[in-house]
Amino acid sequence: MRGAAAALAALALAGCSATGTATDEDAPSGSYAVMGDWLGCEVFGDFADLQAQLGVTAVDGELQSDAVGEGVDAEAAGCAGLFDLATFEDVQGTFEYSSTGDAAIRGGLAPWNDEAEAEANFADRVAQRRENAAGIAYTGETEGELAGEWDESLYITAETEKRTYLDAYGRKGDWVVYLSVDFLHDPGASAYESAPEFYPDSSAEAMAVYPFTTEDLVAWVTGEHLTQIQSDILQRAESETGA
């Protein structure tokens, strides 16, 4: 846990005031002192760039935007949402078929008092992903590092029978950022693969309806997008501290 800083956050969430009770030793420091009140969806720009890459057609409900101490990941300022992707439709005589893709996205920024705390948190998050406590039947897992200047980074891609998963983690000094994206396999390509005899003159690639391939999306997220998120975080922190 974040120790004294987490206790201060809990007091604030409970509507209590810690004014006059915290000592200099208790006071938050490092990136946590700067980013502790940021909202997750502000950090990730409401996933606007990622939505564009995925070709999102609708947001299922509202984005969930949390500050540190809130949401399912109390260590991070988080943003999460469910999204509809492209629809595959087929009509052959009296047969009509329609299937809509979907994606789930979660991102978080975990600021800490010092680099040692951030290192431990990065290691914990990576270990939890590798342990796969949920028992998801992943296949074809691959790992790599993010592009750009990170002190530590890792991304893992994997498949299941129906979905693709991308989990990425980066640490810069005393803060950690992560992004998890999973999406239904392209419904057009899946339709071909499940019954190619119905489409003798086509292919999975030709019937795909998503405006991206898995390879291109992974390359963009790990090679460009998270580097830009890092830059945005550093610029905002600099503007708020006047450094």
Side-chain angles (χ1 to χ4, degrees):
M1 291 296 293
R2 200 180 297 272
L8 290 174
L11 284 172
L13 288 172
C16 301
S17 173
T19 303
T21 64
T23 66
D24 290 340
E25 184 178 351
D26 293 328
S29 58
S31 64
Y32 184 50
V34 179
M35 308 172 186
D37 62 350
W38 291 9
L39 291 176
C41 287
E42 294 175 354
V43 174
F44 292 91
D46 292 335
F47 299 135
D49 291 342
L50 188 48
Q51 289 189 56
Q53 289 291 321
L54 292 169
V56 167
T57 59
V59 180
D60 186 359
E62 297 182 353
L63 297 182
Q64 178 67 44
S65 187
D66 301 311
V68 174
E70 302 174 345
V72 297
D73 182 359
E75 295 176 334
C79 186
L82 301 175
F83 305 89
D84 291 338
L85 304 184
T87 298
F88 172 74
E89 296 179 315
D90 183 30
V91 178
Q92 297 188 28
T94 60
F95 171 78
E96 295 185 8
Y97 174 77
S98 175
S99 178
T100 298
D102 67 79
I105 307 173
R106 174 171 292 279
L109 168 66
W112 296 91
N113 293 296
D114 56 47
E115 197 161 336
E117 289 182 345
E119 287 176 353
N121 186 249
F122 178 88
D124 285 346
R125 292 180 183 277
V126 169
Q128 288 174 12
R129 168 60 183 84
R130 286 177 170 156
E131 289 168 3
N132 185 19
I136 298 174
Y138 293 124
T139 61
E141 289 190 67
T142 61
E143 297 187 6
E145 294 184 350
L146 305 179
E149 298 181 2
W150 299 89
D151 294 306
E152 297 178 273
S153 72
L154 174 74
Y155 72 84
I156 302 175
T157 63
E159 303 287 334
T160 63
E161 183 181 358
K162 295 184 177 181
R163 304 188 73 81
T164 298
Y165 292 79
L166 168 61
D167 297 292
Y169 310 86
R171 180 181 68 83
K172 184 71 172 177
D174 59 0
W175 54 266
V176 175
V177 69
Y178 66 88
L179 181 65
S180 295
V181 182
D182 66 86
F183 55 89
L184 187 71
H185 292 165
D186 189 295
S190 294
Y192 175 84
E193 291 166 354
S194 64
E197 66 275 13
F198 289 166
Y199 311 99
D201 299 322
S202 192
S203 66
E205 182 178 358
M207 289 176 58
V209 293
Y210 289 168
F212 64 92
T213 65
T214 297
E215 293 75 14
D216 288 344
L217 180 69
V218 171
W220 176 78
V221 169
T222 63
E224 299 179 36
H225 184 52
L226 282 170
T227 300
Q228 183 60 54
I229 294 294
Q230 181 200 87
S231 178
D232 293 343
I233 292 170
L234 293 173
Q235 288 181 11
R236 179 175 174 182
E238 181 179 348
S239 70
E240 293 190 7
T241 61

